[in-house]
Amino acid sequence: MRQIKKRAVLAWSSIAVTLLVSALLMLLTWFYTTESGLQWLVNRTVQFQPQALNIGKVSGTLSSKVYLTELEWQQEETKVKVKGISVDCQWLYLLDRAVTCDNITATYLDVSTTSTEKAEDSELNLPVLSTVELPIDVNINQVNVAKISYSVNPTVTPLDANQPYAEQPQYVVSQLKGKKIAVVGSKASVNSLALTYDEHLITLSGNIDMRKKWQHQLAINAQGPNFSVSAKSK
């Protein structure tokens, strides 16, 4: 009798575990392969979203591609805005503290900074480089951005009230294409990065250590109607 009861307990335990595992797999499948699963994740993570970050409408699935209408990030005097984002990544690698992406594209990237210098000083002041170290490893096979704009906006009035604002520099880059980009901790490498600026094709490859002085080993080539140049840094 005891043996029969023991077998019955084992049988019911096995059935319960099977049902539990099946339910868990169904939940993970729904979460990973459906758009409603993605929307559930987005809604649950909104409360943890930094105030400096604003994410537009999100669609797609984690198993294929995720689409964002726009993404905006602002901190101190720097504002970054990206539109028309498409992300094709293998998110399950996050379990190993890594993310691998086949393709990331965007139609427009705008970076603007607020100038705190005197109004008559119209030179471009690049932001101070600080130490960067990502908590996860990143591997991206291909990146495409159709247009990139960088500008500086004044915050002070001219010394002379009758004097107009000095024209602030704006740089526009088109058709940025990157291949085999990797970031491990504070070290980044790129197999090929190409962009078009002022009718000149600029290509870059190499690696950067994103600590303190940002030491780098890069090969840069520029070709266009005004000049052609090749350089390497160590």
Side-chain angles (χ1 to χ4, degrees), residues 139-160:
N139 289 280
I140 305 174
N141 187 45
Q142 188 170 347
V143 174
N144 292 281
V145 182
K147 183 178 180 181
I148 301 175
S149 174
Y150 180 87
S151 60
V152 179
N153 302 315
T155 59
V156 295
T157 57
L159 299 179
D160 185 354

Side-chain angles (χ1 to χ4, degrees), residues 3 7 9 11 26 31 34 43 54 57-58 66 81 84 103 125 127 133 149 178-179 201 210 217 232:
Q3 191 173 11
R7 290 179 179 177
V9 170
M26 291 176 63
F31 170 73
T34 66
N43 294 333
N54 183 28
K57 184 179 178 181
V58 182
V66 177
K81 189 170 186 178
N103 193 13
N125 296 306
E133 184 171 0
S149 174
K179 293 183 178 180
L201 176 63
M210 300 179 290
Q217 293 180 335
K232 291 185 178 181

Side-chain angles (χ1 to χ4, degrees), residues 133-222:
E133 184 171 0
L134 298 184
I136 61 174
D137 297 340
V138 178
N139 289 280
I140 305 174
N141 187 45
Q142 188 170 347
V143 174
N144 292 281
V145 182
K147 183 178 180 181
I148 301 175
S149 174
Y150 180 87
S151 60
V152 179
N153 302 315
T155 59
V156 295
T157 57
L159 299 179
D160 185 354
N162 296 322
Q163 180 183 0
Y165 283 107
E167 183 178 353
Q168 299 299 314
Q170 183 179 35
Y171 297 84
V172 178
V173 171
S174 60
Q175 298 301 322
L176 182 145
K177 297 180 179 180
K179 293 183 178 180
K180 297 188 181 302
I181 301 171
V183 181
V184 179
S186 60
K187 295 183 179 181
S189 64
V190 57
N191 182 266
S192 173
L193 183 68
L195 57 88
T196 302
Y197 172 69
D198 194 23
E199 298 182 353
H200 288 74
L201 176 63
I202 301 172
T203 60
L204 178 149
S205 62
N207 57 78
I208 299 174
D209 188 344
M210 300 179 290
R211 293 177 293 185
K212 295 183 178 179
K213 296 183 179 180
W214 283 47
Q215 297 179 351
H216 52 272
Q217 293 180 335
L218 300 173
I220 304 174
N221 294 279

